[in-house]
Amino acid sequence: MARIVALILGVVLTGVAGLWAADSGTVEEPSEQPILVHAVMCESIEEQTPKNETIIFSVSARDATCFTYFNPVPKNTLVYHNWYRQDRLSVKVKLRLRSPSWSTFSRHRIRASDKGPWRVEVTGEDGTIYAVLRFSITD
Amino acid sequence: MEALAQFLNTMRWQDLLDIALASYILFRFYALFRGTFVFRVVTGLVFLWLFGRMAVFLGLIVTSWAIQAITAVAAFIIIVVFRHEIRSVLQAKNIKSILWGFSPKTSKTPIEIISSSAFELTRNHIGALMVFPGEDNLEEIIQKGIPWEGKISSEMILSIFWHGNPVHDGAIIISGDRILEVGAVLPLSRRKDLPSYFGTRHRAAAGLAESSDALVLVVSEERESIMVAKGSDLIEIPNVESLVRLIREHSGETESSPSNEVPQRVRMVAAALVSVMLVAGIWFSFTRGRDTIIALEMPIEYMNRKPKMEIIEASANIVRLQLSGSVTLIKNVRPEQVQVRLDLSDGVVGKNVYTIANKDVSLPPGIDLIAVKPQTIELTLDVFTRKRLPVQIDWVGKLDNGLRLESARINPKAIEVEGSSLILRDMSTIYTQQVPLENLRETGTINIGIALGAAALKTAPGSQGRVAVEYVIRRR
């Protein structure tokens, strides 16, 4: 089994969340769903930010990382990083989001046999697809 | 007795109906054509066929070959040669008389009256010309006379040919018990060998007889004689009996007498019995002969397929049928008479298992299905559909270690693909052809085709088969 390391990084950005609420300027009920602000494949995470965004991972690299940042997160909830090799689900990583905003990532340990097109589907608890990140593992 | 009862128990109601119908057809054939040349010729052909079978059995090569050739064209010969007889049966009689009527060929034409009247005319020195048509159409040969439609009587005949009658010089046309026309003009014979004492009447009689199958009766007023012209013959008639016999022979009619009625009925009953026995004999020899088994390989025909439903895969397209029946029936089984048809009306997308039952196999009567191999057929059915799929680039090879492929934008992002719903159901991405990374050094654009892996897939009409890729490369 691929060694998937899921780290949850809490970033409290209440000011940003309040700003978002003010900008909406509507009388509608605030959404219960977290908003995905940034999603990217990268080589590593340094100081809570993605390092070396890329869509190609060499088998000689250690691992591939999928970074997501949600803001706001109205209430504590779960999201999933579903890693697909072509159309076959390889692994489903459950990640916790904490209010008011949260960034989180999952990591896939690359093996020589993993070469080919991949994608990560970022979904909510109810199956809502927030983003699809496509990349390849090559020589 | 018990064996007979057991044997009869194996018969179906269809078999009894089969024998009854075939017997009735044979009997009706006899009733309609008896006494005609058609019946005699067909009887002869039946004997010829039997003789041919014997020749085959005995191994007479040339004889059997010749007889087979003759019987092969027999139906054609009968239709061509006896078209008049067949037409007269089918046209002159209504459906009821064809299916049920017994039209005994008793004499309708008052031949005795006509014959005695002819001799009465000679005694009175009155000339006459009477035409008894055969099967040929005379409309194009004779010059039409005056329509008469009078029932034949001796007085009428005498009065028509009386010297004071304006039409006495022409011929009368007789059909059944009616004089159809009077004053008809017949074509004159051009023969040089006719006796010099023959007048215009004789030449007219000879002329019509030569050019048709009609019989023409001439009463000579000068010579007080009666002659009959038929074909190229002109026969002098000595007495009434001879004339009656000749006319009767020509019309193919039999003498009608009460004493004749009983044998007639007996003959018909006998004919009916013979028909039943003959057909039953043929039926039993065909269907209850030595039981034989054959194996036939037949393609499966798929029926009632739902619109747009396609057969993607079949576990077998040909089945092996084991059939049994009498030697005669089995030998005559032709592949086109056997059909294996599967009803796909209840088929669904995906795998369907069908068991071939008796109802799915169509066989000639008298042939039974013993086994089918394989008995179950697995069919994968599918409908063709369209799906819009996002495009993903299939990068391959190795990018220079000093470079990083940061992002790529595809245009269009998705394309519409057409194909098997079973294949498309599990597809969520369509990939490009492989893009080698070795050649990439800096940010740029490439145009690449779509890789439609499955043969059953193609890009939908209006959808592009290629995409443009704008990629961004950064140095590490």
Side-chain angles (χ1 to χ4, degrees), chain B residues 217-472:
Chain B
L217 190 153
V218 196
V219 178
S220 167
E221 57 182 298
E222 287 88 10
R223 298 184 65 238
E224 294 182 22
S225 70
I226 292 178
M227 293 191 92
V228 164
K230 173 83 176 166
S232 56
D233 299 329
L234 271 161
I235 307 158
E236 183 143 5
I237 306 298
N239 51 44
V240 174
E241 290 74 27
S242 304
L243 184 57
V244 167
R245 197 185 67 249
L246 263 176
I247 298 172
R248 190 159 282 149
E249 275 175 13
H250 167 73
S251 58
E253 293 173 350
T254 56
E255 206 170 344
S256 174
S257 68
S259 61
N260 228 18
E261 293 294 314
V262 175
Q264 182 87 344
R265 281 205 200 103
V266 171
R267 270 207 300 277
M268 296 308 262
V269 171
L273 285 174
V274 169
S275 300
V276 172
M277 286 165 67
L278 199 64
V279 170
I282 293 169
W283 190 90
F284 280 109
S285 71
F286 269 33
T287 60
R288 293 293 194 267
R290 204 150 35 91
D291 212 31
T292 309
I293 295 176
I294 58 163
L296 274 184
E297 286 196 341
M298 297 303 302
I300 304 167
E301 294 173 38
Y302 299 104
M303 316 290 294
N304 304 326
R305 190 163 45 93
K306 284 176 187 163
K308 294 185 180 175
M309 185 86 82
E310 299 288 337
I311 299 168
I312 301 297
E313 197 179 351
S315 62
N317 288 315
I318 289 174
V319 287
R320 190 177 176 81
L321 304 178
Q322 268 190 25
L323 309 176
S324 84
S326 73
V327 178
T328 318
L329 292 180
I330 284 286
K331 272 171 69 178
N332 286 296
V333 171
R334 297 191 306 276
E336 61 266 27
Q337 291 176 304
V338 182
Q339 279 142 357
V340 183
R341 288 179 168 151
L342 276 184
D343 184 0
L344 304 187
S345 57
D346 58 348
V348 292
V349 170
K351 282 200 170 152
N352 297 261
V353 177
Y354 291 94
T355 302
I356 299 175
N358 280 19
K359 67 175 175 55
D360 303 317
V361 182
S362 157
L363 297 169
I367 302 292
D368 296 318
L369 178 67
I370 296 178
V372 186
K373 283 180 185 172
Q375 191 154 24
T376 55
I377 303 290
E378 198 173 282
L379 282 184
T380 307
L381 301 178
D382 198 3
V383 288
F384 279 84
T385 186
R386 286 184 182 184
K387 191 173 184 181
R388 194 164 181 80
L389 294 169
V391 183
Q392 181 167 350
I393 307 153
D394 187 9
W395 303 103
V396 292
K398 188 167 177 61
L399 190 67
D400 189 285
N401 285 335
L403 300 175
R404 176 169 54 89
L405 185 56
E406 187 180 81
S407 63
R409 190 188 298 168
I410 304 169
N411 185 28
K413 287 180 179 173
I415 63 162
E416 198 166 19
V417 178
E418 194 175 69
S420 155
S421 71
L422 285 175
I423 295 171
L424 286 176
R425 188 179 57 191
D426 298 327
M427 281 181 70
S428 55
T429 308
I430 190 91
Y431 298 95
T432 65
Q433 290 165 352
Q434 292 185 334
V435 182
L437 292 165
E438 286 82 355
N439 305 330
L440 305 184
R441 296 276 175 234
E442 54 189 22
T443 299
T445 304
I446 52 168
N447 204 283
I448 190 79
I450 297 296
L452 296 163
L457 290 184
K458 59 180 182 180
T459 51
S463 222
Q464 294 174 28
R466 298 182 77 78
V467 290
V469 179
E470 287 176 45
Y471 56 92
V472 177

Side-chain angles (χ1 to χ4, degrees), chain A residues 14-25:
Chain A
T14 45
V16 177
L19 192 63
W20 172 81
D23 280 352
S24 64

Side-chain angles (χ1 to χ4, degrees), chain A residues 43 53-55 87 118-119, chain B residues 392 397 404-405 428 431 476:
Chain A
E43 292 177 349
E53 290 181 25
T54 184
I55 55 170
D87 281 329
W118 284 72
R119 74 174 188 272
Chain B
Q392 181 167 350
R404 176 169 54 89
L405 185 56
S428 55
Y431 298 95
R476 288 185 185 277

Side-chain angles (χ1 to χ4, degrees), chain B residues 25-146:
Chain B
I25 290 168
L26 185 64
F27 172 66
R28 290 309 303 163
F29 181 81
Y30 167 78
L32 291 170
F33 290 99
R34 78 202 148 89
T36 65
F37 283 115
V38 179
F39 189 76
R40 284 174 222 158
V41 170
V42 170
T43 311
L45 283 170
V46 169
F47 278 108
L48 199 64
W49 179 77
L50 288 173
F51 187 58
R53 301 302 299 170
M54 281 176 63
V56 171
F57 181 73
L58 295 171
L60 310 178
I61 299 165
V62 177
T63 310
S64 61
W65 179 83
I67 292 171
Q68 274 176 14
I70 294 168
T71 47
V73 294
F76 183 70
I77 292 170
I78 290 173
I79 291 168
V80 172
V81 176
F82 299 108
R83 60 188 185 280
H84 294 305
E85 284 85 349
I86 294 167
R87 189 179 59 191
S88 66
V89 165
L90 297 176
Q91 281 185 346
K93 298 173 192 301
N94 55 32
I95 292 291
K96 190 185 166 192
S97 69
I98 288 172
L99 293 176
W100 183 246
F102 295 91
S103 52
K105 286 221 162 191
T106 51
S107 175
K108 282 185 181 173
T109 310
I111 294 171
E112 288 80 3
I113 293 173
I114 294 167
S115 303
S116 59
S117 300
F119 279 90
E120 181 71 23
L121 286 166
T122 56
R123 282 192 290 278
N124 293 328
H125 302 283
I126 298 173
L129 202 51
M130 301 181 204
V131 176
F132 298 86
E135 299 297 339
D136 292 347
N137 187 358
L138 300 181
E139 280 185 15
E140 293 176 3
I141 303 171
I142 63 174
Q143 200 174 320
K144 210 166 168 61
I146 298 159

